[in-house]
Amino acid sequence: MQLPVSLIETDALALALDGRGPIGEAAERGWQIFASSPLHGGELVRAATGELAALLRPGLSVAQACLLAAASCPGVTKVLLSASAPAHWEAARAALDQAAIPPRTLRKVCDVLAPHHPS
């Protein structure tokens, strides 16, 4: 299954943290979940801050931290992305080689970015 997962639209991520929503249901069925648009077409890189990146994973760039956040969504098995330069591919690979961001950190970020996510 493929669906957008990013910190721009946090609903899917917030629901997945509770094992609910489309990602939780697909994971329960044993389906692979492909996260598309993890940087929301580049919008997230322009909108996010260094403070957010440091909260997610100190030492990563904004783009890397936001990409790792999508990859750390419970149930996500693959992340679909494109890059315009070899250096971007290398930065993405370096980010995705990191350990997953803990669920409690993702929850904190979701609560700050969209405090009224679906119940």
Side-chain angles (χ1 to χ4, degrees):
M1 184 169 107
Q2 175 185 333
L3 70 151
V5 178
S6 78
L7 294 177
I8 291 284
E9 297 176 21
T10 59
D11 291 351
L13 178 56
L15 288 169
L17 287 166
D18 293 331
R20 300 183 307 137
I23 296 173
E25 291 173 17
E28 199 172 280
R29 289 181 172 90
W31 296 355
Q32 289 198 29
I33 295 102
F34 290 67
S36 64
S37 199
L39 299 178
H40 206 73
E43 182 181 337
L44 186 54
V45 176
R46 292 183 296 276
T49 64
E51 290 82 12
L52 176 63
L55 173 64
L56 291 166
R57 180 62 46 85
L60 293 183
S61 71
V62 168
Q64 288 175 309
C66 293
L67 182 59
L68 183 57
S72 299
C73 177
V76 166
T77 53
K78 304 276 189 237
V79 177
L80 303 174
L81 61 115
S82 62
S84 58
H88 296 160
W89 283 112
E90 183 57 32
R93 186 207 51 78
L96 296 174
D97 282 347
Q98 300 274 320
I101 296 169
R104 71 183 177 284
T105 302
L106 292 174
R107 167 84 59 217
K108 183 187 304 185
V109 168
C110 285
D111 288 348
V112 168
L113 295 177
H116 304 293
H117 57 77
S119 305

